[in-house]
């Protein structure tokens, strides 16, 4: 009895020490696990954070694009031009785009096709020469490689590369430079369109309404794509702010994977909208200015997933421009166009 009483405090102390040791070990293990988890969370959310910031910064289409199109005098309407880039491997997609565009007979909207290779340039020039006698021919200018870059010796045909192939990636690196050169060359706002796009109706009145507005002044107008802007159908205002933005986009694009052109585009856009960029004005003075961007309304400018997979027939009837993205492969794009009667060849 006496021994039991003497040993009880010692046993209690040992038991308490054991519990404390287990508790400390558990705390250390949990703390390490939480640190690892929190690190993973920071890595996982860093890109989505930029999307959330963009969603807060980019204007909702309802605030900049009225559903009722106002009738305005021609003198008050900003002048636009359409830019596409194409290699020989994508020439049929370009022809399909052109056929649908010509059916709309939109006046005073010149089209500029930047030829990625000599074969494309030759085929485009021949096509335009043959079609000059048609009842309506769009005002198309085919821009050769040396419109922007030094002449390549023996530049041949680029086939229709898949999304992640090197040829496709190289094509993507050209886009900002071509847009910038044309903005400075023609002095018009530029509507950039991928060749896997079909214009079902004239989108110009809707775009003009946004660019005529002074409150706010919208510099970039683009297709909505996963809480960010898709550069595959984008409208650029002809102004120093946009020229500087394109310089930054080109610089960021050259540092990473060029096939993922949406990432540097939207990264730079977030900076330009939230922090501003150093702009050199026409008079040579410099100042910090912020870019304003807005989404095009989804129902009028749907992406491929929305138009081909989710919209009803009635909703598709309201669409102005459809982008055949969210599908990989040249033949796959053409087959999907055919399935929805959007292939004219």
């Amino acid at each position: 009895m006496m021994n039991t009483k003497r040993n009880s405090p010692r046993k209690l102390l040992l038991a308490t020490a054991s519990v404390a040791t287990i508790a400390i070990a558990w705390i250390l293990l949990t703390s390490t696990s939480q640190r690892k988890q929190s690190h993973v969370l920071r890595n996982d959310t860093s890109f989505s954070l930029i999307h959330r910031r963009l969603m807060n910064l980019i204007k909702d289409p309802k605030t900049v694009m009225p559903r009722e199109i106002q009738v305005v005098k021609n003198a008050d309407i900003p002048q636009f031009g359409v830019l596409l880039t194409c290699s020989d491997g994508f020439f049929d997609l370009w022809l399909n785009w052109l056929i649908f565009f010509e059916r709309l007979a939109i006046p005073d909207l010149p089209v500029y096709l930047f030829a990625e290779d000599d074969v494309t340039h030759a085929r485009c020039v021949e096509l335009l020469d043959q079609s000059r006698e048609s009842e309506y021919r769009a005002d198309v200018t085919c821009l050769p490689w040396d419109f922007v870059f030094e002449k390549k010796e023996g530049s041949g045909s680029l086939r229709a590369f898949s999304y992640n192939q090197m040829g496709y990636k190289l094509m993507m690196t050209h886009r900002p430079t071509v847009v910038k050169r044309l903005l400075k060359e023609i002095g018009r706002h530029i509507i950039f369109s991928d060749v896997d796009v079909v214009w079902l109706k004239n989108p110009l009145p809707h775009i003009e309404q946004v660019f005529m507005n002074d409150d706010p002044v919208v510099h970039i107008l683009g297709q909505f794509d996963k809480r960010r802007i898709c550069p595959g159908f984008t409208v650029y205002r002809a102004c120093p702010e946009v020229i500087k933005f394109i310089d930054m986009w080109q610089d960021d694009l050259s540092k990473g994977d060029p096939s993922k052109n949406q990432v540097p585009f939207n990264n730079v856009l977030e900076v330009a909208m939230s922090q501003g960029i150093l702009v050199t004005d026409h008079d040579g003075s410099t100042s910090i200015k912020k870019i304003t961007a807005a989404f095009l309304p989804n129902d009028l400018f749907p992406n491929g997933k929305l138009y081909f997979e989710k919209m009803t027939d009635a909703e598709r009837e309201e669409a102005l421009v459809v982008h055949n993205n969210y599908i990989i492969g040249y033949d796959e794009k053409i087959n999907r166009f055919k399935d929805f009667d959007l292939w004219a060849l």
Side-chain angles (χ1 to χ4, degrees):
M1 223 46 201
M2 293 292 293
N3 288 338
T4 302
K5 287 183 179 179
R6 271 200 307 267
N7 290 338
S8 291
R10 182 180 299 172
K11 289 180 179 179
L12 182 61
L13 181 62
L14 289 172
T16 304
S18 298
V19 171
T21 302
I22 294 171
I24 291 171
W26 174 254
I27 290 169
L28 288 173
L29 182 63
T30 305
S31 175
T32 303
S33 175
Q34 285 177 341
R35 282 199 301 271
K36 288 180 179 178
Q37 185 181 18
S38 64
H39 178 67
V40 172
L41 286 173
R42 282 197 296 274
N43 287 341
D44 289 346
T45 57
S46 58
F47 191 60
S48 64
L49 275 173
I50 210 165
H51 286 184
R52 287 202 293 272
R53 293 194 200 105
L54 275 172
M55 285 295 290
N56 292 331
L57 291 166
I58 298 176
K59 301 291 183 183
D60 186 281
K62 295 177 182 177
T63 65
V64 296
M65 182 175 288
R67 304 300 290 193
E68 296 295 328
I69 300 301
Q70 302 173 14
V71 178
V72 294
K73 297 179 181 178
N74 289 336
D76 297 330
I77 298 177
Q79 299 299 301
F80 290 82
V82 183
L83 172 64
L84 304 93
T85 65
C86 184
S87 71
D88 185 47
F90 291 89
F91 200 79
D92 283 351
L93 280 172
W94 144 249
L95 283 181
N96 190 65
W97 181 93
L98 182 61
I99 292 170
F100 274 90
F101 179 81
E102 288 199 328
R103 288 175 182 173
L104 301 177
I106 305 172
D108 194 29
L109 184 60
V111 175
Y112 302 88
L113 176 70
F114 177 73
E116 295 276 355
D117 54 74
D118 290 342
V119 176
T120 299
H121 185 259
R123 291 181 69 183
C124 184
V125 170
E126 181 182 7
L127 172 73
L128 297 179
D129 286 341
Q130 292 174 352
S131 63
R132 290 187 188 281
E133 303 303 322
S134 63
E135 182 178 349
Y136 173 78
R137 186 182 74 85
D139 179 10
V140 180
T141 301
C142 189
L143 305 172
W145 178 266
D146 55 4
F147 173 74
V148 177
F149 305 101
E150 291 183 8
K151 184 66 176 178
K152 297 185 297 184
E153 292 299 326
S155 59
S157 172
L158 291 174
R159 59 192 175 87
F161 293 101
S162 295
Y163 180 73
N164 281 321
Q165 289 182 307
M166 183 54 66
Y168 179 87
K169 295 177 181 181
L170 291 174
M171 287 173 57
M172 291 302 99
T173 63
H174 303 156
R175 179 179 294 177
T177 308
V178 179
V179 173
K180 174 186 171 182
R181 175 63 194 276
L182 197 61
L183 278 171
K184 297 176 75 172
E185 185 78 15
I186 67 173
R188 288 175 175 243
H189 310 314
I190 296 298
I191 304 172
F192 182 90
S193 177
D194 278 345
V195 292
D196 61 344
V197 168
V198 165
W199 291 33
L200 301 170
K201 301 174 186 176
N202 182 6
L204 202 56
H206 296 266
I207 295 171
E208 286 171 345
Q209 293 293 315
V210 178
F211 272 65
M212 287 174 57
N213 228 339
D214 292 332
D215 186 21
V217 173
V218 174
H219 300 95
I220 297 174
L221 188 61
Q223 186 181 56
F224 180 88
D225 188 5
K226 294 181 180 177
R227 298 185 295 179
R228 57 186 176 182
I229 283 180
C230 173
F233 191 84
T234 314
V235 189
Y236 300 93
R237 181 180 290 274
C239 64
E241 293 93 323
V242 172
I243 297 296
K244 180 62 177 180
F245 164 80
I246 293 173
D247 284 338
M248 295 170 63
W249 173 26
Q250 178 70 73
D251 182 62
D252 208 46
L253 185 62
S254 65
K255 298 174 183 176
D257 183 348
S259 70
K260 295 178 171 53
N261 62 91
Q262 287 196 26
V263 176
F265 178 93
N266 284 281
N267 285 352
V268 172
L269 184 60
E270 195 274 332
V271 172
M273 295 182 71
S274 61
Q275 302 175 28
I277 51 181
L278 184 63
V279 175
T280 302
D281 293 316
H282 298 295
D283 60 1
S285 62
T286 58
S287 58
I288 299 292
K289 295 184 178 180
K290 290 184 178 181
I291 291 284
T292 300
F295 288 122
L296 291 161
N298 259 342
D299 57 336
L300 300 181
F301 299 84
N303 58 41
K305 190 171 188 64
L306 181 60
Y307 184 87
F308 295 108
E309 298 180 18
K310 296 184 177 181
M311 279 184 159
T312 64
D313 290 340
E315 289 170 333
R316 292 190 190 100
E317 285 293 323
E318 299 300 316
L320 305 176
V321 173
V322 55
H323 190 179
N324 193 0
N325 56 359
Y326 282 90
I327 189 170
I328 297 175
Y330 181 76
D331 292 334
E332 287 77 5
K333 286 179 181 287
I334 291 177
N335 289 335
R336 186 158 74 169
F337 269 151
K338 288 179 178 178
D339 289 342
F340 285 80
D341 295 324
L342 296 177
W343 190 248
L345 301 183

